[in-house]
Amino acid sequence: MGRWIMILKLIYGFMAQAYGQEIYPSHSKHQLQLIVSHTQIHSRLDASGDRKWQSLPSWGLNYNFQLSNKWKIGFHNDIIVEDFQVASIGRNESEVLDRRYPIASALVFSRKLGRHFQLLLGLGGEFAESQSFLLLRGGVEYGYHFNENWELITNLTNDFKWNAYNSWAIGLGVTRMIQ
């Protein structure tokens, strides 16, 4: 019995040491992310005017500043690289919105949850030729450091655009840590 307790203490000590280590080097306060993603829109209209679920290609370019070991603030930018029409979910549900390469930008706060996951919450806008909309962004991100200065990331974000439409995106990208 004493031997099993000793083995469990060793395993616990090893895990506590491994998870207690700082994930980001203390000198890496700045981070740049490049993400390729697909934005999902349920209320997209097809050629006949019917609502349809659509996956549209998009890119993300994000900057984050490390405030502490757990908190970051960032400027997150996405562009859908396609034109599309979407039915409004705002005051006038019969309104059709033409979106031409919309760019969504948001000021985002991130909170680390353990070693790899973090929650995202931010406020910003989606901008296009026809109209711009206020948006609220929420999401979750998973990061895996494969080098001291590089991280592989995947994320899932949801953008709620007031008086417009909702979209969510799933992406894969890289983060470069900068001193």
Side-chain angles (χ1 to χ4, degrees):
M1 183 74 159
R3 186 174 22 189
W4 287 108
I5 291 173
M6 178 106 138
I7 290 172
L8 288 173
K9 283 183 178 180
L10 285 173
I11 291 171
Y12 175 77
F14 173 74
M15 290 177 69
Q17 181 182 2
Y19 283 99
Q21 292 177 353
E22 188 173 320
I23 297 163
Y24 295 103
S26 60
H27 63 276
S28 297
K29 291 286 187 181
H30 306 277
Q31 303 167 2
L32 282 176
Q33 296 178 326
L34 180 63
I35 302 168
V36 61
S37 57
H38 279 83
T39 300
Q40 315 297 317
I41 302 171
H42 179 263
S43 54
R44 182 175 191 260
L45 299 176
D46 63 11
S48 64
D50 294 327
R51 286 185 185 213
K52 177 181 176 179
W53 193 270
Q54 187 68 35
S55 179
L56 303 169
S58 54
W59 287 90
L61 182 61
N62 303 335
Y63 167 78
N64 292 306
F65 179 77
Q66 191 83 30
L67 295 170
S68 70
N69 209 20
K70 299 251 184 219
W71 289 94
K72 289 190 271 187
I73 187 170
F75 187 56
H76 291 202
N77 305 281
D78 301 329
I79 182 170
I80 297 176
V81 290
E82 198 170 296
D83 296 341
F84 60 96
Q85 290 185 323
V86 65
S88 173
I89 60 169
R91 287 173 259 156
N92 185 0
E93 291 188 15
S94 62
E95 182 181 7
V96 174
L97 304 171
D98 286 318
R99 308 308 287 161
R100 181 175 179 87
Y101 291 88
I103 296 173
S105 295
L107 183 64
V108 175
F109 287 91
S110 305
R111 170 75 160 94
K112 218 159 181 42
L113 302 173
R115 188 173 181 153
H116 297 286
F117 285 96
Q118 62 186 352
L119 290 179
L120 313 169
L121 185 64
L123 188 64
E126 183 184 81
F127 309 98
E129 280 181 23
S130 58
Q131 278 180 289
S132 297
F133 301 106
L134 184 65
L135 73 82
L136 176 68
R137 173 170 291 176
V140 63
E141 188 172 279
Y142 177 87
Y144 175 76
H145 285 267
F146 60 88
N147 182 308
E148 181 181 339
N149 296 317
W150 291 93
E151 180 181 39
L152 183 64
I153 60 168
T154 184
N155 68 7
L156 179 66
T157 58
N158 183 38
D159 287 351
F160 173 76
K161 296 152 194 109
W162 273 278
N163 295 321
Y165 64 100
N166 295 330
S167 64
W168 62 273
I170 186 165
L172 179 66
V174 293
T175 300
R176 170 73 171 140
M177 311 299 178
I178 303 168
Q179 295 181 2

